[in-house]
Amino acid sequence: MPSFRLVSSSGDQSFDLPPGRSVVIGRGVATDIAIYDPTISRRHAELTARGDMVELKDLGSSNGTCINGSRVDAGRLMANDSVTFGKVTYKVREIRPPGSEPLPLPEPPAPGGMIVRKLMVSGGTAAGVTSRDGPLTRGQLRVAAATAEERQAKKLSLLLEVAQKLTAELEIDRLLRAVVDMTFQVMEVDRVTILLRNESTGELVPTLSKSRLGDTQVQQVPRSIVDKVVEERVAVVSHNAPADSRFKGRSIVAQSVRSAMCSPLLDARDQILGLLYVDNLSAPGSFSDEDLQFLVAFSGLAALGIKNSRFAEQSRREALVRSNFERYFAPNIAADIAQQDGAIRLGGDRRPITVLFSDIRGFTAMAESMGPDAVAQLLSDYFSEMVEVIFEHGGTLDKFIGDAVMALWGAPISHSDDPDRALDAAIAMQGAIGELNRGWVASGKPEIGVGIGISHGEVFAGNIGSHRRLEYTVIGDAVNVAARLCAEAGPGEILVSEALLHVVRKHVDYEYVPELGLKGKTQAVQVYRVRGGGDAAPRRTT
């Protein structure tokens, strides 16, 4: 009876496996075979040599156990198989007693069993490929033709039809289903599987599988084939895969795959988006060079469809974000936020900002003398003009509060001259109100007077709410001061805090208003009136 030994890939470690006895491999000192590697669990796996094989059982390890590259919970190891614990790999070697008969030579593979065809792939196309098959050799491609020229024309026509269908589908799930269904339409295969790369982890994940009988259970693609396609950026065809030494792996043998093809799904920069895998379970040597070439061309179209679908999804997401944020930010700022990863999230930070409040003086009494429709129209005209002025000066619309407007400078996008922008916006707002009043008076409508208050200081700025509903706002003393200043401002007035004047860079014509010192605070807030606040100021673009 043979015995077995584990030999490390470097050859500097070996461990005998005594027949009939179970041994535990792990990082703990109490294990039978201790391997001190951080990817190995304290009790990682159990091995039992029985007869001509070694039984393996994973003991719930964190990083898993693999036989010939395929992760398993339990399995059997034969001589010359590889076993990987975490990231440490060993070979299983058979030990014969001295004087015993030498090991028999392996039987020669069945005809075609060692044939593996390989095409270099770049950007979804195969370069410099000449078929070794005859011009009309029948593979598994569903193309009937009397001559090579007719067959070539039909293949091109078929690819054109595929391109039209796939490029028209922009929803990823429907696109993948279309790729699988069309693969069955153009080729005689038993199963089709698509693997897509997870954009966060980089892992290739089986995403969609389908058999000719309609079974949609996700199939695991042989690890050995996946590794070869990914590492070498090649498309491969394997005839009689169980006998192919280059693809020898327990995962292939277990699935009884007789013929398989696999092509990478590459973007224009040769980055792997995923893999397209097809196989036949009973017919060895069934795929021709022509089949592989066609699969590569088909995969290129599928990759283009996946790229377009992901781009369309990103565009839809950004459009939704922009549509929400354009209510609060200038369109160019909303677009900038939409393109930022993680722009919509809970929480925020502390930062210095400038806050502006504006409010119509005597609006309640005026509204009582007007009909609801007239009031709504007046507010619509007023708010529209105020928002445009705020956006043109790089501000953020925080909210409407009745007939009041709250705007911010410095959040979420900040500029070095935010206080100056806010002050310019206030002057421009008073100028715009003068223009509105002239038009209203001409049409018999009442005039309005607006008071504006501006303050500056550190606040908490960010998204407040839940994942279902977020509201971007600011919280802090500067907000309260600006609101109080606005409440004290008369029609056409702009009142500002001393804190704002300390950070404004431009010359400001102002006057101290001692009688309006804000009460109810630990330290009195000095109030200043901006002179010329009712004059129109030139509008600034962001």
Side-chain angles (χ1 to χ4, degrees), residues 497-513:
S497 66
E498 187 174 21
L500 178 75
L501 296 180
H502 284 163
V503 292
V504 169
R505 299 177 178 180
K506 63 185 295 182
H507 172 74
V508 181
D509 188 8
Y510 61 87
E511 59 181 343
Y512 177 47
V513 190

Side-chain angles (χ1 to χ4, degrees), residues 214-325:
D215 180 18
T216 57
Q217 181 178 356
V218 174
Q219 300 289 335
Q220 295 294 325
V221 175
R223 186 77 249 172
S224 50
I225 291 180
V226 171
D227 290 343
K228 189 170 192 67
V229 171
V230 171
E231 291 170 6
E232 299 184 25
R233 295 294 197 275
V234 295
V236 299
V237 55
S238 174
H239 294 171
N240 193 19
D244 186 339
S245 64
R246 277 173 285 184
F247 288 154
K248 188 173 182 181
R250 301 296 295 181
S251 59
I252 297 179
V253 175
Q255 294 183 40
S256 300
V257 176
R258 306 297 291 177
S259 264
M261 288 197 300
C262 187
S263 178
L265 303 172
L266 301 179
D267 64 14
R269 297 178 297 171
D270 289 346
Q271 299 300 307
I272 295 281
L273 300 176
L275 303 180
L276 177 59
Y277 171 87
V278 300
D279 62 27
N280 282 329
L281 303 182
S282 57
S286 61
F287 294 122
S288 67
D289 277 354
E290 180 188 54
D291 294 333
L292 186 59
Q293 292 176 44
F294 193 89
L295 184 72
V296 169
F298 183 84
S299 298
L301 296 174
L304 180 61
I306 291 170
K307 193 68 176 176
N308 289 343
S309 176
R310 288 179 172 175
F311 179 76
E313 176 60 30
Q314 181 182 0
S315 297
R316 285 194 293 268
R317 186 194 71 83
E318 291 181 3
L320 177 61
V321 174
R322 282 199 306 271
S323 66
N324 288 330
F325 276 81

